[in-house]
Amino acid sequence: MPAPRRPHVGYPPQYGQPPRGETGRGLAAIVIMAVGVAIGALITVLTVLNPPSSPPSTSPTGGGEHSEVSVRQAVQPALDAYSSGLYGDFWDLWTVEAQGLIAREEYVRLFEICPPPVTNSPLTISTVTITGDSAKVEAARLGETTEFGFVFESSAWRYEPSPEERLTYQAPVDQIAAQRRALGLCGATTPSPGATAPTDPTAPTTPTNPGDPSVPTNPGDPSAPTNPGDPSTPTNPGDPSAPSGPTNPGDPSAPTNPDIQPPGFQQ
């Protein structure tokens, strides 16, 4: 007869209902997985409907009105006004505080009495350096470079005079022009329309009435005859001792009338 089977000792049965703790852990894992799937789906939907914006530019020139391109576009009209001789328009683009240094009319008059040696020569911007609301612009013409300062004020880039220029405008305009003229910094002045040309004190004065022979040709010269058509008129009316008739009062032998020979002259 076969030997009877012995029961397995120390091993749980492989069938039947699982313990109550294991059932709770399984349900919790299912819930967590479901929540994770839902969150992932929500993030995917939000990403598709509202993509993230591009990161801000890290360019050294910045962006907006403080970019190098914006500064060049704003500054060039001011430099064009200055180089073309529109000094009033250039003054209009100064900062409000700088406009208090010199009146617009006086600034324009300064260039009328002392124009720059070079006119109508455009300024070309070479470099732009931006520091916050300030910008240094280097512009060149005819091989020379000049630095201009600008400040961002009232949503626009406006010209800011240098400390040396500010010191200059503390003097009257006529004094500034005289100093620049002495240094050879003034060009040729153009007379304004209708202006009277300066007279030369050494030039002879024209007669007051050229149709009247009694008017002296040069009243400043006493040796001119009062009436050159009258031989009886003294050659020099300012000299009472001069003879009334002789053509050459300095030669007593010269006859008053060349057709009449002096006494003792034989043909």
Side-chain angles (χ1 to χ4, degrees):
M1 293 181 63
R5 294 182 177 181
R6 295 181 179 180
H8 295 281
V9 179
Y11 294 93
Q14 302 299 320
Y15 53 87
Q17 191 176 15
R20 299 180 62 180
E22 293 183 3
T23 302
R25 286 194 295 271
L27 292 176
I30 294 174
V31 172
I32 292 174
M33 291 177 61
V35 172
V37 171
I39 294 175
L42 179 61
I43 293 175
T44 302
V45 172
L46 293 177
T47 303
V48 173
L49 297 179
N50 187 20
S53 58
S54 59
S57 174
T58 58
S59 172
T61 57
E65 294 177 327
H66 285 65
S67 67
E68 180 177 338
V69 174
S70 298
V71 173
R72 286 177 176 269
Q73 293 176 348
V75 166
Q76 191 62 58
L79 300 183
D80 290 342
Y82 178 81
S83 61
S84 61
L86 301 176
Y87 302 109
D89 294 346
F90 177 62
W91 184 93
D92 292 338
L93 300 176
W94 288 20
T95 62
V96 175
E97 188 271 336
Q99 289 175 345
L101 298 173
I102 181 172
R104 187 181 194 271
E105 295 76 10
E106 287 295 280
Y107 184 74
V108 173
R109 189 171 73 88
L110 173 60
F111 289 94
E112 290 178 350
I113 60 180
C114 177
V118 178
T119 57
N120 295 325
S121 179
L123 285 158
T124 303
I125 299 176
S126 55
T127 61
V128 175
T129 304
I130 305 171
T131 306
D133 286 339
S134 300
K136 295 296 182 182
V137 177
E138 290 187 356
R141 66 174 174 183
L142 301 179
E144 295 184 358
T145 302
T146 305
E147 185 178 271
F148 297 87
F150 286 83
V151 172
F152 192 74
E153 178 182 273
S154 302
S155 302
W157 288 99
R158 308 183 73 86
Y159 176 68
E160 179 73 1
S162 64
E164 294 80 8
E165 192 174 359
R166 288 173 170 273
L167 184 62
T168 299
Y169 295 140
Q170 293 181 3
V173 166
D174 294 308
Q175 181 178 342
I176 299 173
Q179 292 174 349
R180 292 182 178 180
R181 192 176 297 110
L183 296 174
L185 301 178
C186 295
T189 57
T190 302
S192 54
T196 304
T199 58
D200 184 1
T202 62
T205 308
T206 55
T208 305
N209 187 354
D212 185 358
S214 64
V215 178
T217 303
N218 188 352
D221 184 5
S223 63
T226 305
N227 188 349
D230 186 1
S232 63
T233 303
T235 305
N236 189 349
D239 185 2
S241 63
S244 18
T247 305
N248 187 354
D251 184 4
S253 63
T256 305
N257 188 338
D259 295 334
I260 301 175
Q261 300 298 327
F265 182 83
Q266 303 294 328
Q267 294 185 350

